[in-house]
């Protein structure tokens, strides 16, 4: 291992696909040298959201032409989306078009990645590549994105393609709200439209005329003469050079060694272990204990580093970052790799592999655009001749209306991939994919007919227009609410070979686990947890965006730590300034109400399905958090405009009770949190987003609000769940809670009053109501709370009608638990109102059982431990478990 | 652009580059050409609705119905976790009983692997759960059939305006009888009276007493229960207004499948089973030999009339589809094998033309046949053509379809696949009838139907292609685009064996080989029909399967 001057920690990592290709995207622009068309069309594009969506890819024209040239007629359908749903252009501006940059814009923010990876599987996923990430609303992010925008504006101007320019205008509009230009923040990006990157590197490091301590070089491709390396050595005059190599590094080893020796610098060879191709391009400059890292698209070649684009150089884009030496070590080391010392011989063994640019036909076909009558208008770089034909892989079409470098096909063109040929069929130009202007325009502006995709099965096609419907669809698309909705046909689809293994239940078990673990929605959960950007509120922001331009303002929205804040605003119709009667597009109806309620109830019941954690270990907690926010949102919407939400306040209360009960339980250990061991529960409670507690408090207060009618019934029905939630520290009212409640309930409520109301509800007692409700729940003929016997330790006494044998009755443990929770006591006695049995139960005492009044008292085989009854209640166990078998209790 | 020079200038640090972390996970892929799914998801549910490949033992239907009924009657917690735990524990105990069957029947219970050799011990036995999966064997193998049969209302089914939180047994006579019949068998046991509800260790005598009456093999001796299972599988509820009846107490109809559809499924199930019994009657080996089963389905005995014609046509089309699958699989297998090898030699992926040449050139393994040989000529030679390896060599024209299927599986070459496919096309040529047409026209979301493939072949042959061209026709239509589309749909699981990348075909080495046929309920049908007493072992010495009077009556009832 090479020495490490100071610790740099593990390398930072990124998953560009997950970072960029999300349903929230409104625009995605990419610059790339090579492009995997199939990957983009079949995998990446579908991950993006519905229109309006501005997707534009600019690729090197030679590589693109070569790629399109290889597309056979039989495979042309793979281009169906190209230049319809998204725009593809080959860029022809001097040398190779080599920058790798990706800009994704959502309603909330813009994200720019600049690095070494092309738009391909290797470039974005499996290759050894690096990217630097910039996000809007940070000074450096805004600066980088603004610089990228300026750079792109210049490129678009030079390309001179009206379609590209129009889409760039659209992109600029989308970017405008995100970029706050800070004149003090200089751009971290480097391009070579004006100055060679090497020159800029020298300027930026301030080392002109000085000597660098070290120069670190890592790139897959050098120029044949190592001229770029020589230039860097000349500029920076490092005392030592570290070359990071693999056996696939393309360089004339001997020539590079000569260059290094000539400079008089000390040479250190660092080999990557394992010895695999690394595509990242990194230059490090060390001065003292810190330095700079140059990353991006530029290889160690003249065309990339020492030339400008206008002087036969490539077009490149790079990032210069400051770093400590330790951080530089981490930045040069891919995950799962190690450094190994190498000798000069390993440099000498390297060879330069020429990778000539593909030869192109003499004429350059710039674009082809379908006209409304299905003819195609073409634009070329050279004047068009009258005997040229347009070939669409099926037919050859004469050209008319020739006007310099523009012409139109004489008849309709059916194929989507065209090029120019002569009358002998000789190829005259590169191929391009025909633009479909109306489809491209629609992609920028229209809403999709796919907006119903992902709706829960209960909802009809027209049920998803309202905020409620949209929220349900978003939840269903982005979270796994009910595992059983996923059809896993493992057992149905067993093959003969698999079915041959009798009793191989593990296989089917494992298969189902695997299927669930690969649900693409699982990635949403990772963004909910504490410690993430925005305190785990990122999915809420996306949901807000889905709900229609509800992105909160900076002064009252999610820039505070509260997710209730954006709800305390005028409703949508007022916010947009529109007439509410005009802008409301949905029609509340009983049908939607019933369906939505069913969906939410079904989902609530599904949270304790043990398979849900196979999707993500914390999936139920993530679902709960998001549902809590959605219910809070719906309450706020109703408060502003009742008709805008189909569910009533009572519906929303019921749903909240179901969800809170399924998550926190009601003291019978039936909630999802109850099913975890203490360590796991603590971990989850620790990771729950900070904003959850204030929402839980708000929703609980709304259920037990003192001024609403039916207080007694609501409180008695809810208090065990409320108490359980409080015990688990899920209720954390804040000032925002009080403000939210004040708006939703339309009465001023102070924070202290929120606390008081919740505690009063927990303390509330109404024996008759409790007995009626509990008897109904347990399907018992009668329950009767009676005064405890005087002088005894028994704290509560309950008469029960409808249970014959209490020892083998699964309802008994649940009933005892419910009684103890209601009365907040431990020692209770139960007796039959229609038989003779008696039971006395207290923790750390033996249970006393009397089969009938004249019989012998039987004691449980051991003292009743803490939590034993709760455990029995949760799993449907019976008290007989606690008595020796000889008791003779039988069904 | 100006770069911040001074690190202390107050400018926020520029982020350092981060390394790309892969998000794609390489997997083998189970159905790379989308052919298994035609059988699993389209054909089998149509041909034998309500019976899964692994729902094999009839008594599990009554056992699980019994468990759900007990759970409901005792008003146990309406929570999935509690229900799951209850079922898995009871399956564990049931598994112990089956393994301690006093008759040593050798049945394999759900959870056998987890039980291990515990049952061999002297007891008492610890408590446990059958399978880790929620709801155990019920969830894996029997829940879906019981729902389809109208015995169980799945959680989420609407009860009035609200979905029910857990699976509940319907309150129909058919469902109640099913549950009650198992209960009648065990209710006198100590196990039922106490041990089933408690959690202390299980004495061996308690399990043995339970095994005496509850083992899977004992169903045959319990006519009432057998009738109830029979009725669950092949009967219908008296009130035809709904498939599943009503839930107790509230009497509110549940939202279930369309009644007419459910009735049609019952008829289909009966006819498929009756057809199976006629095959057993004609060839007893059908119950133990999958090749015999497949061959019998292709060449069934004389039909008992129109209804059997229909169902026989359906199953024959299923067998033909599987032969098509195996033939195509051979072509796929060699294409991948040779493609990978070729790209390794070249050091670069293949162009479209090179892929074309590669597929067309897979005409090997038979002297005299070349890429340029006309496919029609090859078809003309099929009657006398011999393919195979050594002792397994067969005459194409006279071999059974099942023999041909086995030969191409063994040879695993594109040419053997082509030969079997062409011979299949000859043999299906004369097939017709309602059932055949229906099943032969069933397609998957990925692959066209067998009928469409055969129609495509006829069109293709009209141009008098060479064998090389026919191989390319098959590869370019049924292998190349299909596999790519399927693999893309699986991302981020990376299951590609090849894909077009930058206009070139790139092959991936991740376990190239054949993919298996989906189950067609061979063993399932054998076990269930035996369990419900439709056939039995015949007399010594060979103990060949013999239809019982109930089995013969079943055929009569189904086909008149």
């Amino acid at each position: 291992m090479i020495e490490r001057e100071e610790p740099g920690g593990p390398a930072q990592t990124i998953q560009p696909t997950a970072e960029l290709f999300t349903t929230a995207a409104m625009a995605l622009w990419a610059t790339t040298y090579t492009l995997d068309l199939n990957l983009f069309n079949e995998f990446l594009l579908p991950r993006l959201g519905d229109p309006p969506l501005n997707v534009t890819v600019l690729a090197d024209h030679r590589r693109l032409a070569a790629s399109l040239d290889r597309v056979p007629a039989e495979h042309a359908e793979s281009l169906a989306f190209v230049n319809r749903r998204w725009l593809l252009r080959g860029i022809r501006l001097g040398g190779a078009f080599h920058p790798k940059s990706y800009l994704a814009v959502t309603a909330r923010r813009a994200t720019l990645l600049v690095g070494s990876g092309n738009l391909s599987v290797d470039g974005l996923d499996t290759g050894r590549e690096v990217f630097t990430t910039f996000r809007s609303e940070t000074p450096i992010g805004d600066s980088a994105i603004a610089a990228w925008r300026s750079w792109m504006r210049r490129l678009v101007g030079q390309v001179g393609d009206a379609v590209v320019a129009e889409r760039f205008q659209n992109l600029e509009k989308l970017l405008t709200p995100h970029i706050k230009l800070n004149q003090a923040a200089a751009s971290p990006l480097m391009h070579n439209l004006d100055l060679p990157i090497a020159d800029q590197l020298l300027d930026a490091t301030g080392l002109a005329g000085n000597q660098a301590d070290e120069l670190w070089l890592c790139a897959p491709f050098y120029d044949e003469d190592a001229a770029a390396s020589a230039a860097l050595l000349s500029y920076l005059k490092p005392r030592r050079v570290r070359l990071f190599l693999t056996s696939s590094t393309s360089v004339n080893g001997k020539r590079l060694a000569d260059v290094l020796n000539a400079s008089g610098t000390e040479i250190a060879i660092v080999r990557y272990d394992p010895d695999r191709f690394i595509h990242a391009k990194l230059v490090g400059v060390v001065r003292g204990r810190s330095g700079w890292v140059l990353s991006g698209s530029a290889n160690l070649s003249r065309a990339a580093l020492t030339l400008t684009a206008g002087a036969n150089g490539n077009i490149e884009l790079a990032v210069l970052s400051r770093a400590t030496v330790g951080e530089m070590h981490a930045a040069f080391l891919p995950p799962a790799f190690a450094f190994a010392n190498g000798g000069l011989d390993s440099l000498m063994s390297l060879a330069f592999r020429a990778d000539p640019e593909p030869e192109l036909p003499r004429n350059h076909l710039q674009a082809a655009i379908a006209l409304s009558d299905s003819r195609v208008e073409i634009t070329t770089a050279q004047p068009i001749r009258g005997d040229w034909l347009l070939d669409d892989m099926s037919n050859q079409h004469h050209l008319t209306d020739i006007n310099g470098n523009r012409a139109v096909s004489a008849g309709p063109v059916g194929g989507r991939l065209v090029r120019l040929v002569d009358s002998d069929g000789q190829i005259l130009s590169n191929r391009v994919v025909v633009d479909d202007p109306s489809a491209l325009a629609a992609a920028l502006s229209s809403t999709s007919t796919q907006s119903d995709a992902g709706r829960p099965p209960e909802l009809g096609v027209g049920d998803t227009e309202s905020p409620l419907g949209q929220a349900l669809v978003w939840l269903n698309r982005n979270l796994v609410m009910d595992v059983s909705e996923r059809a896993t046909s493992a057992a149905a689809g067993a093959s003969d070979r698999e079915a041959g293994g009798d009793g191989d239940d593990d296989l089917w078990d494992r298969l189902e686990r695997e299927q669930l673990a690969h649900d693409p929605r699982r990635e949403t959960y990772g963004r909910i947890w504490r410690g993430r950007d925005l305190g785990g509120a990122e999915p809420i922001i996306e949901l807000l965006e889905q709900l229609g331009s509800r992105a909160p303002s900076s002064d009252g929205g999610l820039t505070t730590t509260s997710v209730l804040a954006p709800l305390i605003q005028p409703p949508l119709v007022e916010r947009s300034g529109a007439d509410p009667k005009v802008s409301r597009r949905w029609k509340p109806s009983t049908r939607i109400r019933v369906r939505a309620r069913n969906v939410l109830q079904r989902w609530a019941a599904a949270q304790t399905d043990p398979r849900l954690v196979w999707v993500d270990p914390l999936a139920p907690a993530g679902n709960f958090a998001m549902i809590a926010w959605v219910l809070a949102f719906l309450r706020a919407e109703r408060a502003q405009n009742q008709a805008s939400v189909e569910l009533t306040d009572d519906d929303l209360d019921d749903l909240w009770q179901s969800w809170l009960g399924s998550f926190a339980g009601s003291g019978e250990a039936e909630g999802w949190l109850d099913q975890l061991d203490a360590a796991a529960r603590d971990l989850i409670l620790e990771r729950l987003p900070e904003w959850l507690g204030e929402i839980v408090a708000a929703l609980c207060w709304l259920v037990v609000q003192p001024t609403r009618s039916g207080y007694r019934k609501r409180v008695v029905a809810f208090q065990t769940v409320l108490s359980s939630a409080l015990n688990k520290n899920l209720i954390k009212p804040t000032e925002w809670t009080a403000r939210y409640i004040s708006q939703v309930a339309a009465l001023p409520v102070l924070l202290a009053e929120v606390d008081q109301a919740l505690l009063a509800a927990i303390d509330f007692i109404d024996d008759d109501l409790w007995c009626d409700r509990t008897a109904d729940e347990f399907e018992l003929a009668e329950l009767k709370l009676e005064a405890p016997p005087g002088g005894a330790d028994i704290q509560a006494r309950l008469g029960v009608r409808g249970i014959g044998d209490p020892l083998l009755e699964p309802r008994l443990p649940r009933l005892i638990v419910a009684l103890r929770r209601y009365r907040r006591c431990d020692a209770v006695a139960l007796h039959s109102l229609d038989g003779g049995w008696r039971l006395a139960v207290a923790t750390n005492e033996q249970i006393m059982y009397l089969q009938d009044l004249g019989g012998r008292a039987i004691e449980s085989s051991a003292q009743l431990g803490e939590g034993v009854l709760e455990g029995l209640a949760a799993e449907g166990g019976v008290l007989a478990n606690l008595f020796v078998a000889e008791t003779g209790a039988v069904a | 652009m100006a770069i911040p020079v001074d690190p202390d200038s107050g400018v926020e640090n520029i982020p350092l580059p981060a390394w790309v972390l892969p998000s794609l996970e390489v997997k083998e892929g189970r159905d790379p050409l989308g052919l298994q799914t035609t059988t699993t998801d389209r054909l089998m549910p149509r041909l034998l609705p309500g019976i899964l490949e692994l729902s094999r033992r009839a008594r599990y239907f009554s056992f699980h119905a019994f468990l759900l009924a007990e759970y409901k009657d005792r008003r146990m917690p309406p929570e999935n976790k509690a229900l799951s735990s209850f079922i898995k524990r009871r399956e564990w105990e049931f598994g112990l009983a089956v393994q301690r069957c006093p008759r040593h029947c050798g049945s394999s219970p759900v959870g056998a692997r987890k039980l291990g050799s515990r049952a061999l011990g002297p007891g008492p036995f610890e408590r446990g759960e059958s399978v880790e999966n929620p709801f155990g064997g019920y969830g894996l193998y029997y829940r879906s059939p019981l729902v389809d049969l109208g015995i169980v209302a799945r959680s989420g089914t609407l009860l009035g305006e609200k979905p029910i939180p857990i699976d509940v047994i319907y309150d129909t006579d058919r469902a109640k009888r099913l549950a009650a019949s198992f209960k009648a068998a065990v209710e006198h046991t100590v196990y039922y009276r106490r041990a089933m509800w408690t959690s202390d260790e299980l004495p061996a005598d308690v399990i043995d007493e339970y095994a005496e009456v509850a083992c899977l093999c004992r169903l045959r001796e319990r006519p009432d229960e057998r009738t109830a299972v029979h009725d669950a599988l092949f009967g219908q509820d008296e009130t035809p207004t709904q498939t599943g009846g009503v839930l107790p107490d509230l009497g509110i109809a549940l939202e279930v499948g369309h009644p007419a559809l459910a009735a049609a499924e019952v008829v289909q199930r009966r006819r498929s089973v009756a057809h199976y019994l006629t095959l057993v009657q004609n060839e007893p080996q059908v119950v133990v030999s999958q090749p015999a089963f497949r061959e019998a389905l292709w060449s069934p005995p004389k039909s008992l009339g129109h209804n059997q014609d229909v169902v026989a046509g359906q199953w024959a089309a299923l067998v033909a589809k599987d032969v098509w699958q195996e033939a195509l699989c051979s072509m796929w297998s060699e294409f991948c094998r040779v493609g990978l090898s070729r790209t390794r030699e070249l050091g670069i992926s293949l162009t479209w033309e090179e892929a074309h040449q590669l597929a067309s050139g897979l005409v090997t393994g038979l002297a005299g046949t070349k890429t340029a040989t006309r496919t029609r000529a090859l078809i003309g030679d099929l009657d006398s053509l011999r393919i195979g390896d050594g002792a397994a060599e067969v005459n194409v024209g006279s071999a059974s379809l099942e023999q041909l299927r086995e030969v191409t599986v063994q040879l695993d070459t594109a040419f053997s696949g082509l030969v079997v496919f062409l011979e299949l096309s000859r043999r299906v040529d004369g097939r017709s009838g309602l059932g055949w047409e229906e099943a032969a026209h069933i397609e998957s979301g990925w692959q066209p139907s067998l009928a469409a493939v055969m129609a495509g072949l006829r069109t293709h042959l009209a141009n008098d292609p060479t064998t090389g061209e026919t191989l390319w026709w098959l590869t370019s239509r049924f292998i190349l685009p299909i596999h790519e589309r399927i693999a893309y749909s699986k991302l981020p699981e990376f299951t590609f064996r090849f894909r077009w990348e930058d206009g070139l075909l790139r092959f991936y080495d991740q376990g190239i080989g054949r993919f298996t046929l989906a189950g067609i309920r061979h063993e399932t049908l054998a076990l269930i029909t035996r369990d419900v007493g439709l056939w039995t072992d015949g007399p010594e010495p060979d103990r060949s399967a013999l239809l019982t009077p109930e089995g013969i009556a079943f055929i009569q009832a189904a086909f008149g």
Side-chain angles (χ1 to χ4, degrees), chain A residues 749-761:
Chain A
V749 178
L750 299 174
L751 175 56
E753 292 169 337
V754 177
D755 283 330
Q756 286 167 10
L758 294 173
L759 293 173

Side-chain angles (χ1 to χ4, degrees), chain A residues 12 14 36 38 67 70 125 129 131 187 189 191 321 491 494 496 498 505 512 518 597-598 675 814 881, chain B residues 1-2 15 18-21 23 25 30 75 81 111 133 140-141 161 198-199 290 352 488 499 502 519:
Chain A
Q12 294 180 52
I14 184 175
D36 188 333
N38 287 5
S67 183
R70 286 192 285 261
D125 203 88
E129 310 275 6
F131 281 101
S187 164
L189 302 191
H191 62 67
S321 313
D496 288 342
E498 289 153 347
D505 309 306
E512 190 171 22
H518 287 96
R597 209 168 47 187
N598 289 337
Q675 295 168 12
R814 294 166 58 207
N881 277 316
Chain B
M1 296 183 187
W19 289 91
V20 167
L21 195 64
S23 60
E25 188 183 359
R30 301 165 60 85
R75 294 171 179 79
K81 182 168 185 284
N133 192 290
L140 282 171
Y141 315 131
E161 284 193 352
T198 58
S199 56
Q290 174 136 196
W352 180 264
Y488 273 117
R499 62 183 285 266
D502 201 20

